Short mmCIF file of all heavy atoms in Angstrom, two decimals:
data_model
loop_
_atom_site.label_atom_id
_atom_site.label_comp_id
_atom_site.label_asym_id
_atom_site.label_seq_id
_atom_site.Cartn_x
_atom_site.Cartn_y
_atom_site.Cartn_z
N PHE A 149 125.95 88.69 100.68
CA PHE A 149 127.38 88.92 100.89
C PHE A 149 128.19 87.64 100.69
O PHE A 149 129.39 87.61 100.98
CB PHE A 149 127.61 89.49 102.29
CG PHE A 149 127.09 90.89 102.46
CD1 PHE A 149 125.93 91.12 103.20
CD2 PHE A 149 127.72 91.97 101.87
CE1 PHE A 149 125.43 92.41 103.35
CE2 PHE A 149 127.23 93.26 102.01
CZ PHE A 149 126.08 93.48 102.75
N LEU A 208 115.24 95.72 107.68
CA LEU A 208 115.49 96.90 106.84
C LEU A 208 116.58 96.63 105.81
O LEU A 208 116.44 96.98 104.63
CB LEU A 208 115.89 98.09 107.73
CG LEU A 208 114.79 98.75 108.56
CD1 LEU A 208 115.38 99.91 109.36
CD2 LEU A 208 113.67 99.26 107.67
N ALA A 209 117.68 96.03 106.26
CA ALA A 209 118.79 95.75 105.35
C ALA A 209 118.36 94.78 104.26
O ALA A 209 118.72 94.95 103.09
CB ALA A 209 119.97 95.19 106.14
N PHE A 212 116.19 96.46 101.63
CA PHE A 212 117.00 97.29 100.74
C PHE A 212 117.80 96.45 99.75
O PHE A 212 117.82 96.73 98.55
CB PHE A 212 117.95 98.17 101.56
CG PHE A 212 118.85 99.02 100.72
CD1 PHE A 212 118.36 100.13 100.06
CD2 PHE A 212 120.20 98.70 100.58
CE1 PHE A 212 119.18 100.92 99.26
CE2 PHE A 212 121.03 99.48 99.79
CZ PHE A 212 120.52 100.59 99.13
N LEU A 213 118.43 95.36 100.26
CA LEU A 213 119.32 94.57 99.41
C LEU A 213 118.58 93.61 98.49
O LEU A 213 119.19 92.94 97.67
CB LEU A 213 120.32 93.81 100.28
CG LEU A 213 121.32 94.71 101.03
CD1 LEU A 213 122.22 93.88 101.93
CD2 LEU A 213 122.16 95.53 100.04
N GLY A 254 114.95 107.95 113.95
CA GLY A 254 114.80 106.80 113.07
C GLY A 254 115.24 107.10 111.65
O GLY A 254 115.92 106.30 111.01
N ILE A 255 114.86 108.28 111.16
CA ILE A 255 115.27 108.68 109.81
C ILE A 255 116.79 108.81 109.74
O ILE A 255 117.43 108.36 108.77
CB ILE A 255 114.59 110.01 109.41
CG1 ILE A 255 113.08 109.79 109.25
CG2 ILE A 255 115.19 110.55 108.12
CD1 ILE A 255 112.31 111.08 109.02
N ILE A 256 117.37 109.40 110.78
CA ILE A 256 118.83 109.53 110.83
C ILE A 256 119.49 108.15 110.81
O ILE A 256 120.48 107.91 110.11
CB ILE A 256 119.27 110.33 112.07
CG1 ILE A 256 118.79 111.77 111.96
CG2 ILE A 256 120.79 110.28 112.24
CD1 ILE A 256 119.03 112.60 113.22
N GLY A 257 118.93 107.22 111.61
CA GLY A 257 119.48 105.87 111.66
C GLY A 257 119.39 105.15 110.32
O GLY A 257 120.34 104.47 109.90
N ILE A 258 118.24 105.29 109.65
CA ILE A 258 118.07 104.64 108.35
C ILE A 258 119.02 105.23 107.31
O ILE A 258 119.61 104.50 106.51
CB ILE A 258 116.60 104.76 107.89
CG1 ILE A 258 115.70 103.92 108.79
CG2 ILE A 258 116.45 104.33 106.43
CD1 ILE A 258 114.22 104.07 108.50
N VAL A 259 119.17 106.55 107.34
CA VAL A 259 120.11 107.20 106.42
C VAL A 259 121.53 106.71 106.68
O VAL A 259 122.30 106.44 105.73
CB VAL A 259 120.03 108.73 106.56
CG1 VAL A 259 121.17 109.40 105.79
CG2 VAL A 259 118.68 109.24 106.05
N ALA A 260 121.88 106.54 107.96
CA ALA A 260 123.21 106.05 108.29
C ALA A 260 123.41 104.62 107.80
O ALA A 260 124.48 104.27 107.27
CB ALA A 260 123.42 106.12 109.81
N LEU A 261 122.36 103.78 107.96
CA LEU A 261 122.45 102.40 107.48
C LEU A 261 122.59 102.37 105.96
O LEU A 261 123.41 101.60 105.42
CB LEU A 261 121.20 101.64 107.91
CG LEU A 261 121.09 100.17 107.43
CD1 LEU A 261 122.23 99.34 107.98
CD2 LEU A 261 119.74 99.58 107.84
N LEU A 262 121.82 103.22 105.27
CA LEU A 262 121.93 103.28 103.81
C LEU A 262 123.31 103.77 103.38
O LEU A 262 123.89 103.25 102.41
CB LEU A 262 120.85 104.21 103.24
CG LEU A 262 119.41 103.70 103.32
CD1 LEU A 262 118.45 104.76 102.78
CD2 LEU A 262 119.26 102.40 102.55
N ALA A 263 123.83 104.76 104.08
CA ALA A 263 125.16 105.28 103.75
C ALA A 263 126.22 104.19 103.91
O ALA A 263 127.15 104.08 103.10
CB ALA A 263 125.48 106.48 104.64
N LEU A 264 126.07 103.39 104.98
CA LEU A 264 127.02 102.30 105.20
C LEU A 264 126.94 101.28 104.08
O LEU A 264 127.97 100.83 103.55
CB LEU A 264 126.72 101.64 106.55
CG LEU A 264 127.58 100.42 106.92
CD1 LEU A 264 129.04 100.82 107.05
CD2 LEU A 264 127.08 99.77 108.20
N LEU A 265 125.74 100.90 103.69
CA LEU A 265 125.57 99.91 102.63
C LEU A 265 126.04 100.46 101.28
O LEU A 265 126.68 99.74 100.50
CB LEU A 265 124.11 99.48 102.54
CG LEU A 265 123.56 98.67 103.73
CD1 LEU A 265 122.06 98.48 103.59
CD2 LEU A 265 124.27 97.32 103.83
N LEU A 266 125.73 101.73 101.01
CA LEU A 266 126.10 102.32 99.72
C LEU A 266 127.58 102.62 99.61
O LEU A 266 128.08 102.95 98.52
CB LEU A 266 125.29 103.61 99.48
CG LEU A 266 123.79 103.39 99.22
CD1 LEU A 266 123.07 104.73 99.16
CD2 LEU A 266 123.56 102.59 97.95
N SER A 267 128.30 102.52 100.73
CA SER A 267 129.75 102.70 100.67
C SER A 267 130.43 101.49 100.01
O SER A 267 131.61 101.57 99.64
CB SER A 267 130.31 102.90 102.09
OG SER A 267 130.14 101.71 102.87
N ILE A 268 129.70 100.40 99.86
CA ILE A 268 130.21 99.22 99.17
C ILE A 268 129.96 99.39 97.67
O ILE A 268 128.81 99.56 97.25
CB ILE A 268 129.52 97.95 99.69
CG1 ILE A 268 129.73 97.81 101.21
CG2 ILE A 268 130.03 96.71 98.97
CD1 ILE A 268 128.94 96.68 101.84
N PRO A 269 130.99 99.40 96.85
CA PRO A 269 130.84 99.73 95.42
C PRO A 269 129.80 98.88 94.69
O PRO A 269 129.02 99.41 93.89
CB PRO A 269 132.24 99.48 94.85
CG PRO A 269 133.15 99.68 96.03
CD PRO A 269 132.40 99.18 97.22
N GLU A 270 129.77 97.57 94.94
CA GLU A 270 128.82 96.71 94.24
C GLU A 270 127.37 97.08 94.57
O GLU A 270 126.50 97.09 93.69
CB GLU A 270 129.07 95.24 94.61
CG GLU A 270 130.39 94.68 94.10
CD GLU A 270 131.56 95.06 95.00
OE1 GLU A 270 131.33 95.76 96.03
OE2 GLU A 270 132.70 94.68 94.68
N ILE A 271 127.13 97.40 95.83
CA ILE A 271 125.78 97.78 96.25
C ILE A 271 125.40 99.12 95.63
O ILE A 271 124.28 99.30 95.13
CB ILE A 271 125.67 97.85 97.78
CG1 ILE A 271 125.90 96.45 98.38
CG2 ILE A 271 124.33 98.41 98.22
CD1 ILE A 271 125.88 96.43 99.88
N ARG A 272 126.33 100.06 95.65
CA ARG A 272 126.06 101.39 95.09
C ARG A 272 125.75 101.30 93.60
O ARG A 272 124.83 101.95 93.10
CB ARG A 272 127.25 102.32 95.34
CG ARG A 272 127.01 103.75 94.86
CD ARG A 272 128.11 104.69 95.32
NE ARG A 272 129.41 104.32 94.81
CZ ARG A 272 130.39 103.82 95.55
NH1 ARG A 272 130.21 103.60 96.84
NH2 ARG A 272 131.56 103.50 95.02
N SER A 273 126.48 100.46 92.88
CA SER A 273 126.26 100.33 91.44
C SER A 273 124.88 99.75 91.14
O SER A 273 124.16 100.27 90.27
CB SER A 273 127.35 99.42 90.86
OG SER A 273 127.11 99.19 89.48
N PHE A 275 122.30 99.78 93.14
CA PHE A 275 121.29 100.73 93.61
C PHE A 275 121.03 101.81 92.56
O PHE A 275 119.88 102.15 92.27
CB PHE A 275 121.75 101.38 94.92
CG PHE A 275 120.88 102.51 95.37
CD1 PHE A 275 119.64 102.26 95.95
CD2 PHE A 275 121.27 103.84 95.22
CE1 PHE A 275 118.82 103.30 96.37
CE2 PHE A 275 120.46 104.88 95.63
CZ PHE A 275 119.23 104.61 96.21
#
Side-chain angles (χ1 to χ4, degrees):
F149 292 106
L208 286 180
F212 178 74
L213 293 177
I255 293 173
I256 293 173
I258 292 175
V259 170
L261 177 62
L262 289 177
L264 177 63
L265 292 173
L266 290 174
S267 66
I268 302 173
E270 293 81 1
I271 296 177
R272 184 171 61 251
S273 176
F275 171 75

